[in-house]
Every structure is written in structure tokens, then in C-alpha cells.
Amino acid sequence: MTTTLEKPQAAPAARKMSVGAFSPRQLLTSLPEALRKLHPKHQLANPVMFVVWVGSVLVTVLTASEPSVFSIAVALWLWFTVLFANLAEAVAEGRGRAQAESLRRTKTESVARRLTDDGGEEQVPGNALRVGDRVVVEAGQVIPGDGDVVEGIATVDESAITGESAPVIRESGGDRSAVTAGTTVLSDRIVVRITTKPGETFVDRMIALVEGAQRQKTPNEIALTILLSTLTIIFLLAVLALQPMAGYSGGLLSVVVLTALLVCLIPTTIGALLSAIGIAGMDRLVQRNVLAKSGRAVEAAGDVDTLLLDKTGTITFGNRRATEIIPVGGVTEAELAEVARLSSLADETPEGTSIVEFCAEKYEAVSDPGPGVEPVAFTAQTRMSGIDIGDREIRKGAAGAVRAWAGSLPSEVDEIVDRIASEGGTPLVVAERGSGRVRVVGVVRLSDVVKPGMKERFAELRAMGIRTVMVTGDNALTAKAIAAEAGVDDFLAEARPEDKMALIRSEQEGGRLVAMTGDGTNDAPALAQADVGVAMNTGTAAAKEAGNMVDLDSDPTKLIEIVEIGKQLLITRGALTTFSIANDLAKYFAILPAMFVAIHPQLDALNIMRLATPTSAILSAVIFNALVIVGLIPLALRGVRYRPGSASALLRRNLLVYGLGGIVTPFAGIWLIDLLVRFVPGVGF
């Protein structure tokens, strides 16, 4: 057989799901849901906003009995405060429902070809399948349920679920056997054993998750809610104590004024945005095709101290790649590059492809062998590949295989082969035979190459206070070389499953949180032990059940992104809490002097913003208190931008930007609002 060989070009990069952005239109579309959340049963779930809701009801009742422009305006803006808090949560949930609807469209009601006990087939609805059932799926058919391939091999289109345009290989056995309901088989025939019940597939769980129906408060969120509730009780007691003090001074304050003061002093800003921040954090993970089984896992990712990363496929490309060619016997590098390329044209393995690309890019070896060539494909039996051009035979392969083909190898080649092997590389010998003589032209070094930018990423993690540990089955010498090149802090060589478990436990005993990725059944114990266990969607069912997150893209490097998302969630919550408390402090100095200036005129010196009247000052503060919630909704949903750095540096930045900003913003905002409301009859002059 004769043919003309041409190496195929690399496939374009797969499409990734983009992260959705906040749109002001979402405020309008979420308004009906925000109105429905005004029900007291919903408000009870948020103690801070429930106090505002009660205050709104109280002021409304008092206004109905004794209406005035001031009391009506305060009542309206108190209700707006509650409504805007509901709006923040409704917008976050609305984004989740939009994603859920997109996911729901990927689900199709399919008919499954279930295998019977006698070896036959029966057609049943996809929702009638039970755990343990075996179904046949052929080219063009949709996989009816989550499961593992137990027979056959096929290419599968997972674009509807993961957003990846390139098909993937799924085969029985190993760590690439898992398939997801709703994906389509493109070629061949496979038998799938169902591993999930109807309604409990990963798509179903994602839909429930992004809709927020199953989102529970995390420990940090519960602790912050308790703190906010405590502050609310303290301010409530403080405001109640003001009335007897005012009476002793010769004047009583109205309940409307006291209620307005209470609402402005309690931490309404963070109380209103707390739920939206949590929902948005989960949302950002889903947008990156990561399914977190609980909000606790997202927060734990933000507190991670140690990252365990597999070398192969995570830190390195996984497939060995050509990194060097070493000519022998007076052959030039350009000549060796040309022969090595020709010997690899029929080698469809990743290693063969890398040799072709390496020789073409570095040495511009691109000559066409022409017609009438005989390709010799690589096989596991021969451990060689090559090409025959007339009576010229070119081969490339393992040293032992080429020695058997050539008869012997020069001592110089043996020394090069031994040196490359001792350094953790893979040597491939290149030789040619023709006119009755054999010539060894050189050696190609294959190495597990570190991915570009990994050293910089690990430096960022180090700046965040996170320790990185590379886990590999390689010997200690190879592991040390890769670890040094990648810039990780430590490595675990010749790692077995029990070694991973021991490492995780030793880290946790020191009070550190550990995150790791895995895809095989042997990774399941370590994934379950880790505080953040990210299982690959292509992995086994045992790995996915053991982890508390599943990456639908099966990209091990995404663990670094997950940690950054977790930290962004915590930083956003901390920043807005700082801003809210600083806000309350500023509003205190805006309202309190205005409330008592009639009783104690000397307090007018504290009216540094020169607000027109006590009523305009109070109403301006209430209006600002409501509007600031709307203004911060985009920040709560998008998240505070995360910059790697030490905890002390992050704290300084947080206090400077959001602490100082929280103090300055109310003074400017209340002053501007007062410029408008002072001209309202019954409020201003």
C-alpha cells in the first residue's frame, strides 16, 4: 500500500462557558419576585430585615392614624428598604433560574434500550430506569441516565452539558468510563450501567442547585447572621433607651423618628445582601461548569491552606512531548530533525505528534516525503514507527526495539539513552537502513512538560498563603526535577492511595484545610477525606460520590480557580460587612445630632453636613439607607475583585477601600439627598 502522509493540524481550542454579567434589566424582571418576598414568613428567615419589616408596618399604621408628609415619606422608604433587600436576593435567584432553564433544555425525554436477564432488549422510558440497569446506546442516540460504561468504547458529544465542542472518548474500565445523561454517542456502541435514580442525575442536581431551592446557609454565613442579629438587638435596646433620656431632657421623640433611627443604625446593608452574596458565589462556580454539592464546600475552598495537585495532566501536559534532539555520528541537528519527523508521520500517538511539531517549529523540518511511501504505524508490539521510501527504511522507537531492528547500537547512543532515562525522560532512538547498511542518526528526548504559566500561578498561591504539594507516581529524582521547574512547595513521589490519605491527615492534624482533585476509584478515599474534593466528571462514580465538587469540564487545573472563587466569596462578604458597619457609624453622626438639636441646640455644632432640618436629615438618611442596597447589588453579584496577597495586605486594603469608603459615602450621599428633600413642604424649611 502506498500513500502520501500529512500530519493533521491540532484541533481548535474548545469553547468555554462565559461568565454572565449583571444587567440593570434584571432589576425590573426580578421585581415581581421581590414583591412576593414581602410576605412575613419569608422575612423571618432574615432577622435584620424582619426588624425593618416590622418597623415598616408600625410606621405605616401610625401614618394612617396621623398622616403627615414626613411620616408618609419615611413609611414609603422603609418599605423600599425591605423591597430592595428582596430585590437583591431575587436577582441572584433569577440568574440561577435562567441557568436552570438553560440546563433544563438540555434534558430530553429518551427511550432506553434496557438489557434483560436473558440477553435480549426492551424499550423503556428513560425515567423508568433504576440503579444497576444496563442499557445499550449506539451512534446517534442520547445516553438516558448517568452511569459507567461496562462494555465497548465510543466517542461522546458532551457539549450540551459541559460546553466543550470537542467529542471525548468513553470506554469500559479505567477512569474514563463515566457518562452523563443527555449527552450523545457519536460513534460505535457501548453498554452503560445506570448509577443514579431518575431525577437525581447531575443535571437534575445542578438545576436544583442553581435555582437556590436546596441552598442552605454555610457555617460562616450562620455565624455572621448571629452577629448581625446581636448588633440589631443592641441597637434596638439603645434606641429604646433614647426615649426616656429625651423625656428627661424635656421632649419626647416620635415613634416614626425612633424607627427611622433604628433602621439606619442596624446593619441593613449587609443583612440585605448576605443571601445574594452566597447565591452569587455558587452561581460563579456553576458558570465555570463546577457542581458544588454544598455552599460549605465553596467556603472551605476560600479557606484552603494546602493544595494537592496531580503532576500528570495538572502541572504537566500529561502526554510526553519532544523537548530535545541529540544527533550522533556526525549528523547535524537539522538532518536529525528531518529524519525524526519523517519517522513520526505515521505515529498518531501524542508523543509522535509532538515530535512532528517540535521538528517543524524549531528546525523548520517540513519536507514532503512525496508519493509512493509506505507508512509504518506505531504499535505496542513493535514499539516503533517509521516510513519506507523506496529501499530507504526510517524507524524511531524504544532503544531495545531499534537495537533489535538495527542489530546493534553505538556505545555513544547507549550512554545518551541511559542518561536521559536517569533524568526521568524517555529516550527514542532514530535510525535508517538502506543499501545494505544501517545508520543511527540520533536520540529524541521526550519529557513530561510543565504547562506554561504554572510557576506564576503557584507564586500567586504562595502569596495567598497556600502551600502546594505535587503528587506523582514518578520516582523521587524525576519528581524533584518537575517540582523545581513548576515551582511547587513540596512533592510526594511514588504516591499510593494510602500515601495520599496519610498526607491529607497529617496536614489536617496541623489545623490546615486541604483541597485535592481526582478521577479514579483509588482517589475516592482521599477525595472524601479532603476538605475540598474536586472529582472529574470523566472519572468513576465512586470518585464523584466521594468528592464535594464535580468539574464537568474534567480540567484538573480548575482547582486553582475554585480556590480563587471561594476566596472571592469570603472577601466579598467581608468587604460589604465592613462597608455596612462603617455606613452605620456615619449615619449615626448624621441623624443623632439632628434628632436632639431642638432639645440641646449646642448639638448643632455636630451637624457637619449642615443639613437643613431634623426631619430632612432623618428622611435623607432613610432614603440613602435604601438606595445604597440597590447600588451594591451589582458588586454583591459580581464579587469584589480578588488580588492574591497576604492576609494582612488584604485586611489593609479592605479597611482602606470599604471601611473608609463606607464612612465617606453616607456623608456625601445624605448631603446630596438633603439638598433635594429640604424643599419638600413639611420636611424641609
Side-chain angles (χ1 to χ4, degrees), residues 198-372:
E200 295 182 4
T201 67
F202 275 109
V203 175
D204 292 315
R205 290 162 67 180
M206 283 184 71
I207 290 172
L209 193 70
V210 299
E211 284 183 326
Q214 296 181 357
R215 197 190 82 87
Q216 298 179 344
K217 289 185 177 181
T218 62
N220 283 351
E221 196 172 344
I222 293 172
L224 184 55
T225 300
I226 294 173
L227 173 63
L228 298 180
S229 301
T230 303
L231 290 175
T232 300
I233 293 172
I234 292 173
F235 281 121
L236 176 61
L237 296 175
V239 169
L240 291 176
L242 287 177
Q243 189 70 312
M245 293 172 59
Y248 178 80
S249 300
L252 293 176
L253 300 171
S254 70
V255 176
V256 173
V257 171
L258 290 173
T259 304
L261 174 64
L262 175 63
V263 170
C264 289
L265 294 186
I266 63 177
T268 52
T269 305
I270 185 61
L273 299 173
L274 188 58
S275 179
I277 293 169
I279 295 172
M282 301 286 285
D283 179 58
R284 281 191 288 275
L285 271 182
V286 173
Q287 289 170 346
R288 287 167 174 81
N289 276 356
V290 177
L291 169 61
K293 297 180 181 178
S294 69
R296 185 190 299 263
V298 186
E299 283 196 351
D303 286 329
V304 159
D305 301 292
T306 304
L307 247 62
L308 267 59
L309 299 162
D310 276 335
K311 174 184 76 70
T312 305
T314 304
I315 295 174
T316 64
F317 282 101
N319 297 317
R320 295 165 301 173
R321 301 164 71 97
T323 56
E324 183 185 11
I325 59 173
I326 306 170
V328 297
V331 177
T332 66
E333 288 189 350
E335 290 174 332
L336 173 57
E338 190 61 51
V339 176
R341 175 180 173 274
L342 291 174
S343 69
S344 303
L345 288 176
D347 186 356
E348 297 294 336
T349 65
E351 291 83 358
T353 301
S354 75
I355 293 173
V356 173
E357 293 174 350
F358 177 79
C359 294
E361 291 173 5
K362 188 167 183 179
Y363 297 98
E364 299 182 354
V366 294
S367 65
D368 189 345

Side-chain angles (χ1 to χ4, degrees), residues 386-450:
I387 187 175
D388 293 342
I389 308 174
D391 63 350
R392 183 188 181 196
E393 302 175 20
I394 300 174
R395 296 292 185 270
K396 170 223 66 193
V402 176
R403 179 182 288 109
W405 178 80
S408 65
L409 294 178
S411 58
E412 179 187 5
V413 173
D414 286 332
E415 292 174 2
I416 295 172
V417 167
D418 292 340
R419 175 170 56 83
I420 292 175
S422 68
E423 294 171 353
T426 301
L428 295 178
V429 178
V430 182
E432 61 178 350
R433 182 168 61 189
S435 303
R437 73 183 186 93
V438 176
R439 184 174 68 139
V440 177
V441 295
V443 181
V444 177
R445 180 199 293 264
L446 298 180
S447 305
D448 203 357
V449 179
V450 174

Side-chain angles (χ1 to χ4, degrees), residues 101-171:
E101 185 58 34
S102 176
L103 288 168
R104 197 174 278 113
R105 286 196 294 269
T106 68
K107 295 186 60 180
T108 57
E109 294 299 328
S110 57
V111 175
R113 298 165 55 191
R114 183 168 61 187
L115 293 177
T116 59
D117 295 337
D118 59 5
E121 292 184 13
E122 60 178 351
Q123 291 193 346
V124 298
N127 56 16
L129 294 173
R130 295 294 178 264
V131 175
D133 285 348
R134 296 192 308 154
V135 297
V136 177
V137 191
E138 295 183 339
Q141 296 179 344
V142 175
I143 296 173
D146 288 358
D148 292 326
V149 178
V150 294
E151 181 183 321
I153 180 173
T155 55
V156 180
D157 177 11
E158 296 187 342
S159 59
I161 305 299
T162 67
E164 296 285 355
S165 58
V168 294
I169 302 293
R170 295 290 175 263
E171 59 185 326

Side-chain angles (χ1 to χ4, degrees), residues 425-505:
T426 301
L428 295 178
V429 178
V430 182
E432 61 178 350
R433 182 168 61 189
S435 303
R437 73 183 186 93
V438 176
R439 184 174 68 139
V440 177
V441 295
V443 181
V444 177
R445 180 199 293 264
L446 298 180
S447 305
D448 203 357
V449 179
V450 174
K451 293 180 179 178
M454 293 304 294
K455 195 163 190 174
E456 290 74 17
R457 297 295 294 274
F458 290 139
E460 290 178 2
L461 291 171
R462 196 173 296 111
M464 294 155 51
I466 296 176
R467 178 170 171 263
T468 53
V469 180
M470 183 185 77
V471 179
T472 176
D474 289 340
N475 60 66
L477 185 63
T478 302
K480 183 178 181 180
I482 294 292
E485 184 180 355
V488 296
D489 298 311
D490 201 355
F491 65 90
L492 177 66
E494 300 177 357
R496 299 168 299 171
E498 51 267 33
D499 297 328
K500 296 179 185 179
M501 285 285 290
L503 176 60
I504 292 173
R505 285 173 176 161

